[in-house]
């Protein structure tokens, strides 16, 4: 037979030599240079026992689990031994000792050769063919299953046997004196069978369990297989057992389990005919495959396959370094195979590959030489491609490792050179560089930013500490490396949770809450909340600033606030150039560094009060930042690298939109916040302002529940909702409680709060209301302390020391806050005089009543026929003065149609004077157009309008009533003034319908499309 090849496994060889001890030379003498093969023996799990532990009998067959040499193998041993036994032991010992000495050098050579990686080497020609005394082919064979790869003729393979029945059968065959031949067949589904039975032939060195410790792991017994014939391939190899070694490994319970390790050598191919006994052991009838016809086939195709196969093997030897190390031995095998038959060449070629068992079986099962060579050649080509890839990967890794080692060596040399030159960076530069690199770990840095950082770090490494640029570069690197590149928080996309947080912290503000819920709903559908620019516009004190933190909490984002009120330097937004002393990035970069998140909520406060100076226009600088189509690459002057701000949620606040530049306002989504009415202010005061002021002044202690103030100190947090109810009114009677318990009796009645709001705090917000509540609480604290001092210093009980009144009522409210600031909402309690009409106005403080007074003065006879004159006073703005001119034209048109005879020329005969009371207050706007027209008509017709009527609306030159703003504030002002009949433009009906029911109830509202509709309401036909 031609020589086959095996791959020497370094780890397996070392394990065998280490564990086997003095038995290793005997094993090496048999195996030669091929101890193991990674495909025939995956890992050598079992170990040969040391001679001190091995059985002392002449042959291993009698060694059983007890390991005590009881002689059960021949049935004659009694456990103590006999004379014949002792003689056999002496003979065996002498022979073994001689064999050990003879094979010692071979084992040493084997150990040196096994130190190489897994590589193909030719087998020693041990038992290459049948011995002369071998019997003829016997069809009845014992089956030993192979788990991973088949056994090719001429090759050797090691396997373990632990099944007791199989061991007995092999012992019986050995006693016959004939060579031990078995049938080696590859299992069809070895992986599934191994999972069901446990590991076989794949034991780690450190494993403490033994294969065969249970019946499941004895694969040679075919446990769990109904039909062994169906479990193996039909074609196998007739193999001879060349060497047998015992092994024993301790199990966890301390019991030793023994078996044998056999060395098989393939002789010829056989095919399985039928099953004789199911065993164990399994006995089958086999038939020798006749390949003589194929061996004589010498056609051109076969020769071409042979030549290509040999060429491919040589190519693999050139590429694969493992083959190259033993090129001489492989060449020796190739020279012998070139004159051999095609089957042997195909088997040799297939054995060199790392193909699967099924692919290798396709080579064995094929009988035609050309087809067999074709399949083997395909496997070789795959192996050649794999070798090329392996070499490529190894080269890449080598180059990478070599470059790193070279860089390391050069850096070490550079350090030594700098140290010799006195430029050693032991001053902290290296630590700073390590700190910068640590800051960048785990961040997704954009490519252009990473390039800038690398350049600056390289420059920083070569700067002297005394250099002026050293500190500038250090600061720049600190900013660059501490930015949250790629870091962001996960948005909370729960509508219910967001609504709960917003309702907890703020009362009202439904417009803002609905917009935030819409933002979350869209984010829930898309998977993330994109950056938006919202602008909250409303009067002071309504909670614009404080709601920003609640929105951030509802979204699960970080929060940062900065104000641009009075800002005049564009560098505050865009940052300074690094060349300036004390240069810093802009507010946006500072915010991102502070919160360490790329998607925070940034509140830009007082955006309507931004300034403009000789150092630039900050409002124009905000255009890039607040533009969704540009802020994905916002460039700060200091960093000078693009920063993605597209995921930032910007929330701006303003009192009015008139002073916001048009381009900037166009980039923001405006949400208008109206002021609070009386009912809302009362609820806010009772649930938040009063309890918190009582706690702050020390009047209430921990026995009273207090709301969680997440934003304590922010006055606009006055919109936050407080759960604990205000204590009920305490009766004004003697207090029997001790003085220290009197503080808990302090309270402000609801009627007192309503009076405080009506006559002292009429503004839209609650900031002034909070100041007055705190003033009342301070007065109560002063009264309580004075009472305690009187009680402690007086020995007699007097009316002054019996009790103290700590309850604020509507009657004693003026004792705490002084006289009312507003005496009445009406200038005229009785009927309105002719020419006077009640109008409604909106201011930054909320809604108010605006009276328009018109008086006509007869013109001199000499002035009649000239253009009528109109004079306006009351500090009216340009827009309002123009409205008065339009109102005069409309009034003249109406007089011409509706005035009785004798009064149709009223405006030609009289000079008209219009005045708006409270002349110190500037007034402007077009919404007083219908009010002025009605006032002049009342004067011309000499008819007073309805007493309870209030109106608002802009009037056009053709008498159209145009829509105005501030409907809610104007409605509140009308109710406060006792006006139950209102006239609004028809286009504002939608705004009025959105008002709460308690604001609309009891009002007579008319919606006018033209001034004729207003006239019918103002001057009804009685």
């Amino acid at each position: 037979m031609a020589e086959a090849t095996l791959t020497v496994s370094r780890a397996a060889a070392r394990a065998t030599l280490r564990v086997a001890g003095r038995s290793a030379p005997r094993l090496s003498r048999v195996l030669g240079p091929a101890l193991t093969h990674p495909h025939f023996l995956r890992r050598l799990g079992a170990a040969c026992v040391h001679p001190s532990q091995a059985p002392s009998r002449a042959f291993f067959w009698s060694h059983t689990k007890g390991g005590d040499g009881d002689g059960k193998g021949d049935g004659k041993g009694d456990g103590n031994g006999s004379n014949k036994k002792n003689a056999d032991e002496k003979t065996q010992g002498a022979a073994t000792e001689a064999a050990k000495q003879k094979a010692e050098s071979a084992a040493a050579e084997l150990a040196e050769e096994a130190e190489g990686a897994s590589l193909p080497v030719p087998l020693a020609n041990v038992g290459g063919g049948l011995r002369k005394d071998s019997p003829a082919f016997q069809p009845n064979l014992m089956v030993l299953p192979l788990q991973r790869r088949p056994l090719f003729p001429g090759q050797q393979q090691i396997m373990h046997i632990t099944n007791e029945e199989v061991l007995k059968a092999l012992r019986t065959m050995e006693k016959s004196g004939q060579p031990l031949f078995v049938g080696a067949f590859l299992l069809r589904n070895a992986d599934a069978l191994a999972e069901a039975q446990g590991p076989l032939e794949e034991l780690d060195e450190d494993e403490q369990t033994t294969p065969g410790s249970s019946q499941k792991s004895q694969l040679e017994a075919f446990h769990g297989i109904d039909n062994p014939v169906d479990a193996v391939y039909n074609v196998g190899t007739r193999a001879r057992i060349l060497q047998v070694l015992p092994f024993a490994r301790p199990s966890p319970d301390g019991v030793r389990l023994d078996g044998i390790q056999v060395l098989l050598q393939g002789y010829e191919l056989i095919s399985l005919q039928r099953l004789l006994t199911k065993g164990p052991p399994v006995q089958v009838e086999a038939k020798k495959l006749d390949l003589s016809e194929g061996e004589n086939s010498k056609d051109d195709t076969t020769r071409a396959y042979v030549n290509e196969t040999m060429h491919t093997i040589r190519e693999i030897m050139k590429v694969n370094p493992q083959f190259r190390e033993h090129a001489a031995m492989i060449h020796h095998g190739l020279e012998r195979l070139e004159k051999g038959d095609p089957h042997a060449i195909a088997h040799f070629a297939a054995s060199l590959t790392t193909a699967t068992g099924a692919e290798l079986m396709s080579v064995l099962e094929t009988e035609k030489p050309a087809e067999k060579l074709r399949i083997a050649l395909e496997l070789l080509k795959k192996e050649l491609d794999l070798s090329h890839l392996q070499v490529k990967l190894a080269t890449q890794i080598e180059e990478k490792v070599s470059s790193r080692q070279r860089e390391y060596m050069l850096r070490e040399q550079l350090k030594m050179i700098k140290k010799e030159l006195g430029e050693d960076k032991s001053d902290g530069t290296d630590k700073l560089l390590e700190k910068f690199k640590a800051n960048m770990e785990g961040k997704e840095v954009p490519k252009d930013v990473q390039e800038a950082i690398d350049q600056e770090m390289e420059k920083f490494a070569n700067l002297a500490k005394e250099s002026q640029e050293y500190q500038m570069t250090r600061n720049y690197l600190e900013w660059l490396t501490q930015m949250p590149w790629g870091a962001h928080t996960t948005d909370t996309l729960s509508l219910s949770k967001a609504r709960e947080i917003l309702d907890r912290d703020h009362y009202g503000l439904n417009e803002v809450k609905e917009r935030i819920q819409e933002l979350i709903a869209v984010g829930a559908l898309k998977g993330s909340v994109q950056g938006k620019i919202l602008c909250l516009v409303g009067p002071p004190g309504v909670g614009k600033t404080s709601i920003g933190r609640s929105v951030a909490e509802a979204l699960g984002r970080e929060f940062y606030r900065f104000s641009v009120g009075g800002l005049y330097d564009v560098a505050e937004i865009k940052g300074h150039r690094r060349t300036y002393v004390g240069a810093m990035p802009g507010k946006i970069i500072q915010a991102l560094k502070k919160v360490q998140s790329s998607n925070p909520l940034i509140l830009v406060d007082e955006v309507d009060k931004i300034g403009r100076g000789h150092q630039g226009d900050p409002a124009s600088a905000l255009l890039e930042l607040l533009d969704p189509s540009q802020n994905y690459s916002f460039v700060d002057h200091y960093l000078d690298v693009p920063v993605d701000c597209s995921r930032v949620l910007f929330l701006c606040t303003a009192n009015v939109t008139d002073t916001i530049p048009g381009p900037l306002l166009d980039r923001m989504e405006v949400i208008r916040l109206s002021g609070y009415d009386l009912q809302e202010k009362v609820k806010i005061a009772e649930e938040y302002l009063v309890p918190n002021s009582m706690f702050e002044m020390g009047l209430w202690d921990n026995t009273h529940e207090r709301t969680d103030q997440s934003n304590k100190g922010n006055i606009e947090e006055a919109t936050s909702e407080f759960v604990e109810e205000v204590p009920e009114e305490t009766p004004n009677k003697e207090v029997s409680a001790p003085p220290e318990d009197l503080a808990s009796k302090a309270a402000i009645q609801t009627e007192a709060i309503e009076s405080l709001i009506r006559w002292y705090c009429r503004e839209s917000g609650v900031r002034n209301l909070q100041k007055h509540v705190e003033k009342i609480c301070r007065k109560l604290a002063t009264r309580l302390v004075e009472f305690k001092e009187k009680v402690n210093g007086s020995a007699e009980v007097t009316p002054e020391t019996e009790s103290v009144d700590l309850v604020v009522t509507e009657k004693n409210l003026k004792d705490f806050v002084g006289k009312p600031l507003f005496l009445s909402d009406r200038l005229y309690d009785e009927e309105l005089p002719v020419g006077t009409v009640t109008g409604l106005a909106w201011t930054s403080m909320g809604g108010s009543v605006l009276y328009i007074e018109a008086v006509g003065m007869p013109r001199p006879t000499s002035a009649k026929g000239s253009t009528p004159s109109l004079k306006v006073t009351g500090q009216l703005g340009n827009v309002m003065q123009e409205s008065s001119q339009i109102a005069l034209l409309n009034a003249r048109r109406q007089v011409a149609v509706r005035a009785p005879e004798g009064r149709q020329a009223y405006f030609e005969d009289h000079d008209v004077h219009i005045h708006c009371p409270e002349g110190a207050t500037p007034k402007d706007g077009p919404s007083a157009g219908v009010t002025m027209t009605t006032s002049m008509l009342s004067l011309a017709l000499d008819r007073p309008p309805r007493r309870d009527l209030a109106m608002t609306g802009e009037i056009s030159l053709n008498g159209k009533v145009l829509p105005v703003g501030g409907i809610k504030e104007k409605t509140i002002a009308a109710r406060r003034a006792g006006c139950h009949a209102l006239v609004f433009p028809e286009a504002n009906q939608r705004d009025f319908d959105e008002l709460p029911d308690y604001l609309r109830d009891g009002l007579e509202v008319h919606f006018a499309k033209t001034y004729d509709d207003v006239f019918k309401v103002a001057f009804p036909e009685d």
Side-chain angles (χ1 to χ4, degrees):
M1 296 292 293
E3 286 185 330
T5 62
L6 287 175
T7 301
V8 176
S9 174
R10 180 193 307 175
R14 287 205 303 266
T16 304
L17 293 175
R18 182 175 65 253
V19 180
R22 291 199 300 267
S23 299
R26 186 157 56 96
L27 179 62
S28 303
R29 175 175 53 83
V30 179
L31 297 182
L35 267 177
T36 54
H37 192 288
H39 310 299
F40 300 142
L41 178 61
R42 303 295 295 178
R43 282 178 295 208
L44 188 58
C48 302
V49 296
H50 194 274
S52 61
Q53 302 174 351
S56 58
R57 296 183 58 84
F59 199 56
F60 66 87
W61 301 113
S62 61
H63 184 67
T64 59
K65 294 182 179 181
D68 54 357
D70 56 359
K72 290 182 180 180
D74 54 8
K76 297 180 181 181
D78 56 358
N80 297 324
S82 61
N83 294 333
K84 182 178 179 180
K85 171 184 174 183
N86 295 333
D88 292 341
E89 289 178 353
K90 292 179 180 180
T91 304
Q92 179 69 19
T96 303
E97 187 65 22
K100 290 177 185 176
Q101 295 176 359
K102 184 177 180 180
E104 193 69 38
S105 59
E109 295 176 1
L110 173 63
E112 294 177 2
E113 192 171 358
E115 286 298 321
S118 298
L119 64 161
V121 295
L123 291 173
N125 192 12
V126 181
L130 292 175
R131 297 187 319 190
K132 295 181 179 180
D133 57 348
S134 299
F137 178 80
Q138 296 294 332
N140 299 339
L141 295 172
M142 178 193 303
V143 176
L144 292 181
L146 302 177
Q147 189 175 2
R148 301 296 180 189
R149 290 167 59 99
L151 177 63
F152 288 92
Q155 292 184 343
Q156 296 176 344
Q157 182 171 344
I158 294 176
M159 71 177 300
H160 302 119
I161 301 175
T162 58
N163 185 267
E164 194 66 30
E165 300 296 332
V166 178
L167 292 176
K168 289 180 180 180
L170 290 176
R171 183 174 58 230
T172 303
M173 294 171 61
E174 190 271 339
K175 288 182 178 181
S176 64
Q178 297 294 329
L180 303 181
F181 282 91
V182 295
F185 292 89
L186 180 67
L187 290 169
R188 290 185 181 274
N189 195 4
D191 294 334
L193 188 61
E195 291 180 2
Q197 295 190 353
L200 180 72
E201 302 180 2
E202 290 194 7
L203 299 175
D204 296 333
E205 287 186 33
D206 298 333
E207 282 191 41
Q208 297 301 321
T209 57
T210 305
S213 59
S214 64
Q215 290 297 321
K216 282 188 176 182
S217 63
Q218 299 173 350
L219 196 61
E220 66 274 7
F222 287 90
H223 282 293
I225 301 177
D226 297 334
N227 189 358
V229 176
D230 297 336
V232 297
Y233 284 91
N234 191 44
V235 176
T237 305
R238 180 169 174 259
R240 178 180 178 182
I241 299 179
L242 297 182
Q243 181 66 44
V244 179
L245 288 176
F247 70 86
R249 297 185 70 183
S251 59
D253 55 1
V255 178
R256 304 179 67 85
L257 182 63
D258 302 333
I260 62 172
Q261 177 178 285
V262 298
L263 175 65
L264 301 179
Q265 177 160 342
Y267 272 76
E268 53 199 354
L269 296 181
I270 57 176
S271 63
L272 194 151
Q273 299 298 312
R274 64 188 180 90
L275 178 66
L276 298 178
T277 59
K278 189 175 180 180
V282 176
Q283 297 284 341
V284 298
E285 179 181 344
K287 176 184 176 182
K288 180 180 178 181
L289 292 180
D290 186 10
L291 303 178
S292 58
E293 181 181 356
E295 293 179 359
N296 297 329
S297 177
K298 300 295 183 180
D299 57 343
D300 295 340
T301 303
T302 303
R303 287 197 299 271
Y305 275 126
V306 170
N307 294 337
E308 183 63 23
T309 301
M310 294 298 184
H311 176 72
T312 305
I313 292 175
R314 291 186 175 92
E315 288 294 324
I316 296 177
M317 291 172 56
K318 295 178 183 178
V319 175
N320 197 325
Q322 299 176 352
F323 284 76
R324 215 165 34 240
E325 292 180 6
H326 291 269
M329 288 180 281
I330 296 179
H331 278 300
H332 177 69
L334 288 176
E335 290 175 359
R336 299 191 60 182
L337 285 174
E338 285 178 351
K339 301 179 181 180
D341 63 317
H343 295 282
I345 295 175
H347 295 164
F348 174 78
S351 65
L352 292 176
T353 65
T354 57
T356 62
E359 293 173 336
L360 296 177
M361 281 303 303
S362 64
V363 177
L364 289 181
E365 292 176 343
T366 305
E367 297 183 3
K368 296 181 179 181
E371 182 67 17
K372 178 174 291 193
L373 285 168
R374 184 189 65 79
I375 299 175
L377 184 59
E378 289 180 357
L379 298 181
L380 277 177
K381 292 295 184 182
K382 292 180 181 179
E383 193 70 24
L384 180 60
D385 294 340
L386 184 63
S387 299
H388 281 296
L389 180 59
Q390 180 180 353
V391 171
K392 180 180 178 181
L393 295 177
T395 303
Q396 292 177 352
I397 295 175
E398 258 182 51
E399 291 177 355
K400 190 174 182 179
V401 172
S402 299
S403 63
R404 289 182 178 178
Q405 290 178 347
R406 181 174 178 273
E407 181 182 358
Y408 174 77
M409 294 298 297
L410 291 176
R411 289 191 180 278
E412 291 296 323
Q413 294 176 7
L414 182 61
K415 289 181 181 179
M416 296 301 298
I417 294 173
K418 288 184 176 181
K419 186 175 181 180
E420 293 295 331
L421 294 175
E423 299 178 0
D424 187 17
K425 294 301 179 182
S426 58
D427 52 4
T429 302
D430 293 338
K431 292 183 179 180
L432 287 175
L433 290 173
E434 293 177 0
K435 174 186 175 182
F436 297 150
K437 293 178 181 179
N439 292 339
M440 300 302 295
E441 292 181 358
K443 295 181 179 180
E444 300 176 2
V445 185
K447 182 179 178 181
D448 47 358
V449 178
Q450 186 64 53
E451 291 177 356
I453 293 175
D454 294 340
Q455 293 176 2
E456 291 296 326
M457 292 182 69
E458 182 179 356
K459 181 176 70 174
F460 182 70
N462 298 321
L463 288 175
K465 191 173 183 180
E466 297 78 12
S467 172
Q468 182 180 1
E469 197 175 358
Y470 181 88
Q471 192 63 33
M472 294 174 56
T473 307
R474 173 182 176 180
N475 294 339
Y476 181 57
L477 283 173
E478 285 181 350
W479 279 100
L480 275 180
T481 57
Q482 291 180 10
M483 288 291 292
W485 306 110
H488 57 85
T489 56
T490 303
D491 293 323
T492 303
L493 304 178
S494 174
L495 291 176
S496 58
K497 183 178 180 182
R499 187 72 187 188
E500 179 184 354
I501 294 175
L502 295 175
D503 289 341
R504 179 199 68 192
D505 294 342
H506 293 82
Y507 182 82
L509 303 180
N510 294 324
E511 298 88 349
V512 182
K513 295 178 181 178
E514 290 176 1
R515 184 61 184 89
I516 297 303
Q517 284 188 310
E518 293 171 1
L519 189 69
I520 295 175
V522 174
L525 295 178
K526 296 183 63 177
S528 62
V529 177
Q530 297 298 322
K532 295 294 181 182
I533 297 94
L534 305 179
C535 183
L536 307 181
V537 180
V542 296
K544 299 185 300 298
T545 302
S546 61
I547 198 173
R549 190 179 297 274
S550 299
V551 173
E553 182 182 356
L555 292 174
R557 295 193 175 195
E558 298 293 334
F559 177 77
Y560 186 88
R561 171 192 171 273
F562 71 93
S563 177
V564 294
L567 192 68
Y568 63 90
D569 189 359
V570 70
E572 294 292 334
I573 305 297
K574 297 277 289 184
H576 303 84
R577 300 290 181 182
R578 293 201 305 274
T579 54
Y580 295 116
V581 178
M584 290 184 62
K587 290 291 185 180
I588 304 303
I589 303 302
Q590 296 178 30
L592 296 178
K593 177 188 175 184
K594 176 71 175 178
V595 300
Q596 285 298 303
S597 173
S598 60
N599 63 337
L601 188 149
I602 297 180
L603 180 68
V604 184
D605 210 359
E606 307 295 349
V607 73
D608 59 327
K609 301 175 182 62
I610 192 168
R612 183 174 183 177
H614 65 280
Q615 294 176 327
D617 184 10
S620 300
L622 284 174
L623 294 178
E624 178 186 0
L625 180 64
L626 300 182
D627 191 348
S629 62
Q630 300 181 34
N631 60 9
Y632 66 90
S633 59
F634 174 74
V635 178
D636 184 87
H637 289 164
Y638 183 84
L639 293 186
D640 203 24
V641 293
V643 179
D644 186 9
C645 297
S646 61
R647 304 185 65 180
V648 178
L649 178 59
F650 289 98
L651 198 64
C652 305
T653 65
N655 296 126
V656 293
T657 58
D658 300 339
T659 56
I660 302 177
L664 181 60
L665 184 63
D666 182 63
R667 286 163 168 78
M668 299 184 294
E669 179 182 350
V670 178
I671 301 177
R672 297 191 178 274
L673 305 179
S674 58
Y676 296 109
D677 55 27
L678 177 63
Q679 287 80 358
E680 291 174 336
K681 286 185 177 181
V682 171
K683 190 172 182 63
I684 293 172
E686 290 180 343
E687 296 183 351
Y688 184 87
L689 299 181
V690 172
N692 281 277
S693 298
M694 290 289 186
F695 278 110
E696 292 294 334
M697 305 307 165
L699 296 173
W700 289 359
D701 53 16
N702 295 330
T703 58
H704 291 77
E705 295 184 11
R706 188 180 187 184
T707 182
D708 180 22
Q709 302 177 58
S710 58
N711 302 328
K712 179 180 177 181
N714 191 333
I715 295 180
E716 292 196 359
E717 293 259 339
T719 58
S720 186
E721 184 175 356
F722 181 73
V723 180
E724 176 65 25
E725 295 183 0
V726 179
E728 297 181 357
E729 179 184 355
T730 304
N732 190 7
K733 60 181 182 179
E734 295 183 1
V735 180
S736 58
E740 57 270 13
D741 295 337
L742 291 176
S744 61
K745 303 298 183 180
I748 303 177
Q749 293 183 351
T750 303
E751 292 78 6
I753 296 176
E754 291 180 356
S755 298
L756 183 66
I757 296 170
R758 185 182 300 274
W759 307 116
Y760 296 86
C761 309
R762 287 186 176 180
E763 68 282 346
S764 299
V766 293
R767 182 179 285 114
N768 192 32
L769 177 60
Q770 182 184 18
K771 295 177 181 178
H772 282 76
V773 170
E774 291 176 350
K775 183 177 182 180
I776 293 173
C777 292
R778 290 195 297 269
K779 296 284 187 180
L780 290 175
T782 304
R783 182 176 294 187
L784 177 61
V785 173
E786 290 177 350
F787 173 74
K788 289 182 177 181
E789 291 178 353
K790 291 180 180 179
V791 171
N792 296 331
S794 176
E796 299 180 359
V797 178
T798 63
E800 296 180 353
T801 59
E802 285 185 354
S803 63
V804 61
D805 186 11
L806 298 179
V807 179
V808 181
T809 63
E810 185 178 5
K811 294 181 180 180
N812 63 5
L813 178 63
K814 61 182 180 181
D815 298 336
F816 295 91
V817 293
K819 296 180 179 180
L821 301 179
F822 306 97
L823 299 178
S824 175
D825 290 309
R826 300 183 63 91
L827 287 178
Y828 303 94
D829 295 331
E830 303 298 334
E831 293 293 334
L832 294 176
V834 174
T836 302
V837 181
T838 305
L840 299 174
W842 179 92
T843 66
S844 60
M845 302 298 290
S848 64
V849 174
L850 179 66
Y851 286 94
I852 303 295
E853 299 175 336
V855 176
M857 297 296 294
R859 305 181 68 183
T861 305
S862 60
K864 290 183 179 181
S866 62
T867 305
S869 65
L870 174 65
K871 186 176 182 179
V872 293
T873 56
Q875 203 172 346
L876 305 184
N878 294 331
V879 177
M880 204 166 183
Q881 291 183 15
E882 292 177 356
S883 296
S884 65
Q885 297 291 337
I886 297 174
L888 177 60
L889 293 177
N890 280 278
R892 293 177 63 184
R893 185 185 301 116
Q894 291 290 334
V895 167
V897 177
R898 303 179 184 276
E901 294 182 4
R903 300 192 69 87
Q904 293 179 350
Y906 180 83
F907 292 109
E908 286 76 7
D909 299 336
H910 294 79
D911 293 328
V912 180
H913 187 147
I914 295 179
H915 175 71
C916 295
E918 299 181 7
T921 303
K923 309 170 189 67
D924 201 1
S927 62
V930 295
T931 310
M932 290 182 177
T933 304
T934 306
S935 175
M936 286 186 280
L937 273 177
S938 173
L939 180 64
L941 298 177
D942 196 22
R943 294 178 58 185
R946 289 181 56 176
R947 177 179 178 275
D948 59 345
L949 176 65
M951 62 183 66
T952 182
E954 180 182 357
I955 191 169
S956 70
L957 202 59
N958 294 322
K960 293 284 187 179
V961 180
L962 305 180
V964 294
I967 298 300
K968 180 180 178 181
E969 289 81 0
K970 293 177 180 179
T971 304
I972 296 173
R975 295 182 66 95
R976 186 169 57 238
C979 298
H980 301 292
L982 304 179
V983 176
F984 290 140
E986 186 181 42
N988 290 118
Q989 185 173 0
R990 174 175 53 89
D991 301 325
F992 182 80
D993 294 339
E994 294 177 355
L995 298 179
D997 293 338
Y998 64 83
L999 287 180
R1000 296 182 296 170
D1001 292 343
L1003 294 180
E1004 177 189 344
V1005 183
H1006 302 273
F1007 298 97
K1009 186 175 183 181
T1010 63
Y1011 185 78
D1012 293 337
D1013 301 329
V1014 180
F1015 186 85
K1016 294 177 183 179
V1017 178
F1019 306 101
E1021 296 293 338
D1022 296 333

